[in-house]
Amino acid sequence: MYFLERVMAVPRLPEKLNRLEEIARNLWWSWNYPAQQMFRYMDPEMWYQEKRSPVRLLRRVSQNRLYELSEDKDFAEMYESVVRQFDEYIAGNDTWLERAHGERKNQCIAYFCAEYGFHESFPIYSGGLGILAGDHLKTASDLGLNFVAVGLLYRNGYFEQMIDESGWQQNMYHSYEFEDFPVIPALDASGDEVFVNVDFPGRKIWAKIWKAAIGRTSLYLLDTDIPQNEPDDRKITATLYGGDREMRIKQEILLGIGGVRALRMLGYSPKVWHMNEGHAAFLSVERIRELVQKDSMDFSTASMIVKTSSIFTTHTPVPAGNDTFSLDMIDKYFRDFWSKMKAERDEFMDLGIEKVPGGGQQFSMTVLALRLSALANGVSKLHGRVSRNLWNHIYPDLPAVEVPITHVTNGVHIWTWLNPNLVELLDKYLPKGWHEKVYDPEVWEGVDSIPEEEIWELHMSLKSRARGFLQGRLKKQRMRLGETIEDLLEVEEALPENVLTVGFARRFATYKRATLIFKDINRLKSIITNSERPVQFVFAGKAHPADDPGKELIRKLYEISRTPEFKSRIIIVENYDMNIARHLVSGVDIWLNTPRRPHEASGTSGEKAGMNGVLNFSVLDGWWVEGFNGENGWAIGDNRDYKDHELQDRIDSVSIYSTLEKEIIPLYYSRDKDGVARQWAKRMKNSIKEIGSRFNTHRMIIDYANNLYFPAADLSEEAERDGFKLAKSAAVWKDKFSSSWNAIRIKPNVQGESSAKSVKVGQEISLSANIYLGTLDPSEVLVEIFVAKMNEEGELDSFSLYPMKLVKEDVHGEYVYGGKFTVSEEGDLAYTVRVIPNPDKLPDRYFIPAAKWIV
């Protein structure tokens, strides 16, 4: 018997083209159209066959073709131009950070996420969270931030979706060769591959570290499918969001704890640590362990220091999006860990524990992240408010309006999602240099000067291109199912460009209500089959592998799409990915979004569509509450929440039908003598200008930098100054508060007219109070007036704070405080006196989120 070692022989690059491999392995190409065109030129058929992956292309293109290209003058010109652009980009130092905050260029920011979506050929993403993370890294590179990221490298990626003849989603997994991905092994200073380990019950598991380059940004990905591990442990990084709860905790320990260790081994010392969703929250307990073991700190001080430099972004109010584990599971995996932190079991559990409705307790990754982060945010203004209410129980002394969760509204990466042909058009009308200033609304004013016929002509050409692409996908889908010749011929007539086309593409979770438009199926039928002004719908999206109700929505939709009356007007395309998304967000007329408000945290697909001139038709949830201006799309329903879901569904569905019939359809089919829908085109321009300027990730990252990254870096430096003096004193002080806080008593003394039932704007109200502080000294507290503005529902809508001064020390250990405030606006107000820990003694006002109120 002979043993044959199987290898893949790959072509060798000619010397003239020796930079192709470097460019192929830097995802910079994924948002640079000339680079993509260069790779496509090499072998157009193979380019599409290999999912537009330069790495796969270079490993499979023929050696003869490479020799031909090395002598091809046209290709040489393209190659030299791309290499020049690449080198200028990588070496460029005229970035936003250098211009605006050059003093911060050495402040490294570490970003952790469970998934990243850069391009469909690199399938380590499932949907919106991953694509946002990919856009985040691309933009950090564009803006010149000192950024490093950590994730996991999945051998089987996320599943590919196949819809069977009954309409049921089938989940297909592939085993990928990492040589086909734009990654290389991470190397240490000696040039050796780097491996990291973490402790699991009774064993260590090892992970190889891979490096992906995203422009100037480095992403490190951990991989357990290596010989050092037992077979079961090799599967930890097999699939994204696969397996049971135990597999999930293994992945999250690897991401958080292993990720910190990986960065340390590679020589990184981040100033700021950003947890993008709770999956990475274990990174904070690892950082506490580091400080305890390496710097001989106590648990409380180490926790304070870690908190100063930590940022947490929550992405969903839906319970399934916030990971929790049983206390038994935490005991199993962390039994030997908390002693390394010099913590007791209860101290460790308290970091993440929360009560379960109906009794019991669980360990929440979101709670862990919130308790160990100085700064936290939701991903839209509405989501920030929803999150403050949702997580108010973590801050029981604070009203929901004061919960320290702010918001940074999501955006999308302009150069990934703006159609290249639209970029060409914008280049004609926007000022020179607008590419470097997309975050500046002024540069977008030129959109108004684009003639309606030009934007309409471009839109129709993109719609035609999308039609051809979708027909190809639909034909393959039907051929795989063995459908008849007649069924295949129908595809040739599908999605005519002269018909109003509505796109719906997103994850099929029940709260997104994909089938809401079918609530009154007869009314819908009359809308879409109108002989003079018909409407057609394109659906795409995956349900989570374990989400049978989501799969049922797909099945129901598929069944409806195959009925005779809907067969040519409702299309469902399988295996939604970034490639399908690019065609849809620039090639339909309307982008439909029907989440059950307020469950949509942001919803970035509508931003992609809107900046391409596709008009949004959406529930006022997530980003659309901020984006809708009455001229760039349409709203479904009204700007309020409902407790009765059936009533909400009925109101929203009627709004969909009515708006389609009375506004959208008439406007779309209103054409001038040249066939241009001029009023529609004006709305398209408004959409491009408003959404392009406000909902891009360049604006988003600048917001993160100014409102989160830079403040966290400053907090961290303050806490570490003079041998961690502030952090140590705050830790001691916190322990004192825990034993003394409950002794505080407040007795108000109402003075003058402040007891009146109505007051006038401009009126001054004075308050005084007798306060018993127990063992605390007045220097350790701040007494303040809390003034709240109430909304129509009687809820606190906003608040203001006014400090009170110590007037005198009274008898029996009481202190008299006095203060005043001026009524600044009309409306319902509520005010009171409270005591909080003195912020001057803390890194941040909410480091000890305690407040003592009048009872």
Side-chain angles (χ1 to χ4, degrees), residues 296-314:
S296 300
M297 287 188 186
D298 61 89
F299 169 73
S300 188
T301 302
S303 300
M304 282 283 182
I305 294 167
V306 166
K307 186 171 182 175
T308 59
S309 57
S310 296
I311 293 167
F312 171 59
T313 300
T314 177

Side-chain angles (χ1 to χ4, degrees), residues 417 419 458-470 495-503 536 538 579-591 608-610 612-615 668 684:
W417 296 106
N419 187 279
L458 172 62
H459 175 63
M460 294 306 289
S461 71
L462 295 179
K463 194 173 178 184
S464 175
R465 190 182 305 170
R467 181 195 188 200
F469 171 80
L470 293 170
L495 301 173
E497 294 138 50
N498 61 342
V499 172
L500 173 63
T501 304
V502 180
Q536 57 195 2
V538 181
N579 193 23
I580 294 177
R582 271 192 302 273
H583 285 83
L584 287 179
V585 298
S586 63
V588 298
D589 301 301
I590 290 286
W591 196 256
K608 301 176 182 88
N612 278 290
V614 171
L615 301 182
Y668 181 80
M684 289 176 61

Side-chain angles (χ1 to χ4, degrees), residues 647-661:
L647 175 64
Q648 184 178 15
D649 290 354
R650 188 163 65 251
I651 290 173
D652 287 349
S653 65
V654 169
S655 175
I656 291 172
Y657 303 136
S658 178
T659 306
L660 278 169
E661 291 166 338

Side-chain angles (χ1 to χ4, degrees), residues 46-64:
M46 186 175 289
W47 173 244
Y48 292 112
Q49 179 183 317
E50 300 300 337
K51 291 191 172 181
R52 301 168 69 250
S53 164
V55 175
R56 291 179 62 91
L57 176 72
L58 291 183
R59 285 170 55 79
R60 289 163 178 78
V61 69
S62 73
Q63 189 70 59
N64 286 339

Side-chain angles (χ1 to χ4, degrees), residues 200-212:
F200 275 14
R203 68 198 189 280
K204 288 184 183 295
I205 63 138
W206 291 84
K208 181 176 179 178
I209 306 173
W210 297 82
K211 178 181 179 181

Side-chain angles (χ1 to χ4, degrees), residues 493-757:
E493 305 300 321
L495 301 173
E497 294 138 50
N498 61 342
V499 172
L500 173 63
T501 304
V502 180
F504 181 102
R506 54 191 37 85
R507 184 164 53 89
F508 271 75
T510 51
Y511 77 87
K512 292 181 182 284
R513 300 187 299 178
T515 56
L516 182 64
I517 63 163
F518 300 105
K519 193 160 187 65
D520 186 341
I521 201 161
N522 290 325
R523 189 169 180 183
L524 177 66
K525 190 187 305 180
S526 68
I527 290 172
I528 70 175
T529 59
N530 185 294
S531 59
E532 294 182 0
R533 301 186 304 187
V535 181
Q536 57 195 2
F537 291 82
V538 181
F539 288 86
K542 298 177 179 179
H544 185 280
D547 183 8
D548 283 350
K551 294 177 185 177
E552 183 60 33
L553 290 177
I554 295 173
R555 188 199 62 77
K556 179 180 179 181
L557 183 59
Y558 182 82
E559 278 188 350
I560 292 172
S561 75
R562 301 316 304 271
T563 58
E565 56 266 57
F566 291 113
K567 202 168 188 179
S568 61
R569 288 287 178 257
I570 293 177
I571 303 296
I572 180 165
V573 182
E574 66 185 4
N575 203 34
Y576 184 47
D577 63 6
M578 292 179 73
N579 193 23
I580 294 177
R582 271 192 302 273
H583 285 83
L584 287 179
V585 298
S586 63
V588 298
D589 301 301
I590 290 286
W591 196 256
L592 180 66
N593 189 26
T594 56
R596 176 167 286 118
R597 176 187 158 118
H599 290 93
E600 184 82 282
S602 179
T604 53
S605 66
E607 297 172 342
K608 301 176 182 88
M611 65 175 55
N612 278 290
V614 171
L615 301 182
N616 275 271
F617 183 29
S618 174
V619 170
L620 286 166
D621 199 5
W623 77 278
W624 189 231
V625 180
E626 301 165 61
F628 176 56
N629 67 7
E631 299 296 330
N632 58 358
W634 291 269
I636 295 171
D638 48 26
N639 194 11
R640 60 176 171 147
D641 305 333
Y642 293 83
K643 293 181 180 179
D644 185 334
H645 289 172
E646 178 56 35
L647 175 64
Q648 184 178 15
D649 290 354
R650 188 163 65 251
I651 290 173
D652 287 349
S653 65
V654 169
S655 175
I656 291 172
Y657 303 136
S658 178
T659 306
L660 278 169
E661 291 166 338
K662 297 177 181 179
E663 298 182 47
I664 296 175
I665 295 172
L667 190 69
Y668 181 80
Y669 284 104
S670 176
R671 309 291 170 86
D672 65 10
K673 58 182 177 59
D674 298 318
V676 176
R678 198 163 292 277
Q679 294 305 313
W680 188 277
K682 286 182 178 179
R683 285 187 177 246
M684 289 176 61
K685 293 197 299 180
N686 192 299
S687 178
I688 293 167
K689 182 176 76 171
E690 292 298 316
I691 296 171
S693 66
R694 296 174 54 204
F695 297 96
N696 61 74
T697 43
H698 287 69
R699 185 276 309 158
M700 181 189 87
I701 298 295
I702 290 172
D703 284 352
Y704 269 105
N706 289 328
N707 301 329
L708 296 167
Y709 293 152
F710 298 161
D714 293 343
L715 278 175
S716 177
E717 289 187 354
E718 185 179 356
E720 294 175 7
R721 192 175 294 120
D722 299 327
F724 306 103
K725 180 180 178 181
L726 178 60
K728 289 177 179 178
S729 64
V732 171
W733 198 39
K734 182 180 179 182
D735 291 340
K736 181 179 180 181
F737 263 91
S738 64
S739 60
S740 306
W741 196 246
N742 288 335
I744 295 175
R745 296 289 182 269
I746 306 173
K747 293 190 297 183
N749 296 319
V750 179
Q751 299 178 351
E753 296 180 88
S754 61
S755 60
K757 294 299 182 183

